[in-house]
Amino acid sequence: MSNSSGTGTPALDLDELRSRFTEVFGAVPDGVWQAPGRVNLIGEHTDYNEGFVLPFAIDRTARVAVRFRANSAVRMLSTFGNQGLTTADAHVLDPATARGWTKYPLGVLWALQQRGLDVPGLDLLLDSDVPRGAGLSSSHAIECAAILAVNELAGGGLSAHDMVQATQRAENDFVGAPTGIMDQSASLLGAAGHAVFLDCRDQGVRLVPFDAEASGLVLLVIDTKVSHSHSDGGYAARRASCELGADVLGVQALRDVGLADLEEAAGLLDPETFRRVRHVVTENDRVLQAVELLERTGPEAIGGLLDASHASMRDDFEISCPELDLAVDTARSAGSIGSRMTGGGFGGSAIALAPAGAEQEVRDAVGRAFARAGYTAPDIFRVRPAAGARRLA
Ligand code: GLA
């Protein structure tokens, strides 16, 4: 068994995954594809406002072994959770009956069919060490691994850009989560030692150096164990507020509102919508500043931006929760140079950028604070910017 640092489902190595596939399905897989989860360094709830984000692919991945079949039967199994086979028919894909993680690969098949690709049945074995429900995009990791596999086996010829669109369609219209394009872009386009600076309006991408450990820092994920789902109401409600704000301000998207416009916006919007808008506008600005600082100085320069981003999500966008706030505040007082919740919010994980020498104190202090508050013990682990999705075998 191989495993990356921290806790979570242990990952099978490649040979173990292939022999497990052969045992279960009675034939060798056509190939194995892998796609990482992501941490968003900064730029939250800006993607669907056509703004800027700065996520990175992490060294935690979903891997799918896949074999195309001669008929339309789909059979799926994971190495974790319920050990029974899930079956479906590739010609009759129905979101209402898709359960658990299987809705992600099924959503991908559906989205590819919507684009006119003829996708047959298949056997799929999933293994993943991306913690689930932790705000690290375990679902997009599965979707990206699955779309790479199916695109290649079906000769779909899709570009990374097409795959970003198709996985968004799968999420929005099959899974039922009205999410943007950040997560799959990070998973598909990430690179070791870099964050992915993405302009969500034109999908322009620039890799920005982000190697915390080379600067004597560590990037810790603090998984609060408060689970969240973007198919629930909170995420959609924030998205609706942003659309309302853009409408009232007469712009295509909040991307078109600048810091200098906020004063006037305050007079035009109701107080709650104004706070939502202010978060998006200031967050876009923080992403641009973070990119500049990373390129000019290095990771040690962005701590203040991470803190400001968290305060904005807590007070203006109101998507934090007591566990995330405690993680962030404690990490800060224990020596981190910056800390914020990451991902869609309402639970999931916080990140803390800390000097390597303060790592143990941050871990201990957060653990103690959670115990004192009577919260479930958090999982705390390091992540590093890693390569994006690819074929393994
Ligand atoms: C989730 C969504 C992303 C993005 C973030 C918030 O991760 O999948 O598209 O909107 O929330 O930044």
Side-chain angles (χ1 to χ4, degrees), residues 11 111 127 139 150 186 236 277 315 346 356 374:
D127 187 35
S139 58
V150 176
V277 168
D315 302 336
F346 308 103

Side-chain angles (χ1 to χ4, degrees), residues 134-302:
L136 303 179
S137 283
S138 58
S139 58
H140 282 95
I142 299 171
E143 288 168 10
C144 290
I147 202 167
L148 274 192
V150 176
N151 178 46
E152 193 172 333
L153 293 176
L158 300 184
S159 65
H161 176 92
D162 297 333
M163 288 192 255
V164 166
Q165 301 297 332
T167 48
Q168 186 185 24
R169 181 101 202 263
E171 277 276 316
N172 291 177
D173 299 334
F174 193 88
V175 175
T179 50
I181 60 165
M182 170 171 70
D183 305 338
Q184 55 275 63
S185 301
S187 183
L188 290 165
L189 302 168
H194 290 79
V196 179
F197 173 39
L198 175 68
D199 179 336
C200 300
R201 173 158 277 170
D202 63 9
Q203 289 195 39
V205 168
R206 186 159 99 226
L207 292 176
V208 174
F210 177 66
D211 188 349
E213 294 184 15
S215 303
L217 300 169
V218 293
L219 199 288
L220 294 173
V221 168
I222 304 167
D223 174 3
T224 64
K225 301 288 185 166
V226 178
S227 77
H228 70 292
S229 162
H230 299 327
S231 321
D232 294 345
Y235 186 98
R238 295 306 179 279
R239 193 167 176 154
S241 288
C242 292
E243 280 160 15
L244 172 66
D247 247 24
V248 173
L249 298 175
V251 291
Q252 179 185 317
L254 292 183
R255 153 69 172 276
D256 301 309
V257 182
L259 290 175
D261 303 319
L262 282 176
E263 201 179 320
E264 192 190 340
L268 297 170
L269 300 169
D270 67 83
E272 182 183 288
T273 309
F274 175 66
R275 290 200 307 279
R276 307 294 189 248
V277 168
R278 184 167 58 188
H279 164 71
V280 173
V281 172
T282 57
E283 186 78 349
N284 272 328
D285 184 62
R286 282 185 287 271
V287 175
L288 297 178
Q289 287 187 55
V291 168
E292 203 186 314
L293 288 172
L294 285 175
E295 289 183 333
R296 224 181 40 213
T297 313
E300 64 278 14
I302 64 166

